[in-house]
């Protein structure tokens, strides 16, 4: 599968901020890197991300997985904000310790009607995954 980018990381960040203007700057995920078929995002740590037991909550992990897939897809298809999540399957692998939350999304398939991404999430190190998700988006 040969993929080419339509937007760079800064352009994807600008597009995401336009799509979600009410998101808090301090808590908004940031695209740090895009390449054909790949995107990396980070969400700065905040105590509000924690669940009992001082681990990052599942909803925070799921939200970043979804955002990472969306950012990766937008980087390839451009300003098509009506692309929507049609499936998100999450596998929690270990507790995510407090710290900045990272996601790396890989494009598994980009078609005319849908896109499928593999997303891996961690706080400590990419070799110590906290979760993995398979995210499918419907493309208008």
């Amino acid at each position: 599968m040969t993929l080419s980018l339509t937007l760079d990381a800064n352009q994807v960040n600008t597009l995401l901020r336009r799509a979600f203007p009410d998101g808090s700057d301090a808590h908004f995920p940031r695209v740090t890197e895009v390449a054909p078929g790949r995107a990396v995002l980070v969400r700065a740590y905040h105590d509000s991300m924690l669940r009992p037991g001082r681990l990052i909550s599942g909803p925070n992990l799921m939200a970043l997985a979804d955002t990472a897939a969306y950012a990766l897809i937008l980087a390839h298809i451009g300003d098509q904000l009506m692309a929507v999540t049609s499936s998100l399957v999450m596998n929690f692998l270990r507790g995510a310790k407090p710290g900045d939350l990272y996601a790396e999304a890989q494009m598994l398939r980009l078609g005319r009607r849908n896109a499928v991404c593999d997303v891996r999430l961690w706080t400590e190190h990419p070799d110590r995954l906290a979760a993995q998700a398979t995210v499918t988006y419907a493309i208008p």
Side-chain angles (χ1 to χ4, degrees):
M1 167 172 62
T2 303
L3 297 171
S4 60
L5 294 174
T6 301
L7 304 173
D8 65 23
N10 289 331
Q11 291 168 316
V12 175
N13 283 319
T14 299
L15 191 56
L16 289 172
R17 292 305 292 161
R18 193 176 90 218
F20 302 101
D22 295 332
S24 163
D25 285 338
H27 305 296
F28 205 82
R30 182 174 46 87
V31 179
T32 60
E33 181 182 342
V34 292
R38 182 175 175 274
V40 178
L41 282 76
V42 63
R43 180 172 177 214
Y45 172 75
H46 188 272
D47 282 340
S48 66
M49 296 166 67
L50 297 180
R51 63 173 304 277
R54 293 202 44 83
L55 296 172
I56 295 178
S57 73
N60 279 287
L61 292 164
M62 293 172 77
L64 186 58
D66 191 38
T67 304
Y70 190 46
L72 176 59
I73 293 163
L74 292 177
H76 289 82
I77 67 172
D79 188 350
Q80 293 191 43
L81 296 177
M82 290 308 296
V84 295
T85 310
S86 61
S87 173
L88 190 152
V89 177
M90 192 79 179
N91 298 295
F92 298 100
L93 306 173
R94 70 170 42 90
K97 294 183 178 179
D100 291 348
L101 181 58
Y102 294 87
E104 179 178 3
Q106 296 270 162
M107 190 75 73
L108 299 178
R109 179 184 190 281
L110 178 59
R112 288 182 294 125
R113 293 286 195 193
N114 66 30
V116 181
C117 303
D118 175 70
V119 183
R120 295 159 189 259
L121 301 111
W122 69 90
T123 56
E124 300 171 76
H125 190 274
D127 291 337
R128 290 192 49 83
L129 295 180
Q132 177 276 333
T134 303
V135 186
T136 303
Y137 263 73
I139 300 171

